Amino acid sequence: MQQAVHKAPIALALLGGVAACAPAEPVDQMAFEPEYLGVQTRLLDDDLVNMFVTMRGARDRADVAAYAECAAAEYTLIRGYNYLRHLRTNIDEKNGQWRGDAIYTISADKPLGLKTIDARAAVAGCVENKIPRV
């Protein structure tokens, strides 16, 4: 005599897993109140610019990098160019003051590569996020 095997429907098993995925409680995050302390620009060559930014209240390195990119994007437009490419950024924090040292290439025509930044679009994002430019 053959014994019957009872198989639980997969749907019921999946339903139990979904019930365990209740939404998490919201994480209390510190208010982001950055203080942008200034930008210095150094033209290294006709198409190479070095941006130095200083700020307080950054949440992390990404805030400092965004400040440098906003300054570089505005500078690109001021020079009559349309595009920039990020080459490198060094960031340091000491006693709550963050410093960024970023280098970008700037050009009128879209350069080759995957990390090309449209200066006008970048500036629009900076305005929307209330990040100052040059």
Side-chain angles (χ1 to χ4, degrees):
M1 177 182 244
Q2 195 171 12
Q3 189 174 14
V5 177
H6 180 70
K7 295 182 180 178
I10 293 175
L12 287 177
L14 292 175
L15 183 59
V18 171
C21 296
E25 291 295 318
V27 176
D28 185 27
Q29 295 183 356
M30 185 175 74
F32 179 49
E33 296 179 9
E35 183 180 357
Y36 299 101
L37 302 174
V39 176
Q40 292 180 348
T41 305
R42 184 181 321 162
L43 188 61
L44 303 174
D45 202 349
D46 287 341
D47 65 347
L48 195 62
V49 64
N50 194 179
M51 308 305 291
F52 298 95
V53 297
T54 306
M55 69 181 291
R56 287 190 178 281
R59 294 169 291 199
D60 56 29
R61 300 169 81 76
D63 290 332
V64 182
Y67 184 24
E69 182 173 306
C70 287
E74 182 75 24
Y75 182 80
T76 300
L77 296 177
I78 289 169
R79 298 270 306 174
Y81 295 138
N82 300 310
Y83 298 96
L84 60 156
R85 277 190 58 189
H86 175 253
L87 298 179
R88 68 116 173 110
T89 301
N90 294 320
I91 297 172
D92 183 45
E93 185 271 329
K94 185 173 182 179
N95 298 325
Q97 185 165 328
W98 294 78
R99 295 182 187 273
D101 168 7
I103 297 180
Y104 293 86
T105 60
I106 58 176
S107 60
D109 298 320
K110 188 173 183 178
L112 298 175
L114 299 175
K115 297 196 179 202
T116 299
I117 302 165
D118 179 303
R120 291 189 196 292
V123 166
C126 299
V127 169
E128 183 177 318
N129 290 306
K130 298 179 177 115
I131 301 172
R133 288 124 12 243
V134 174

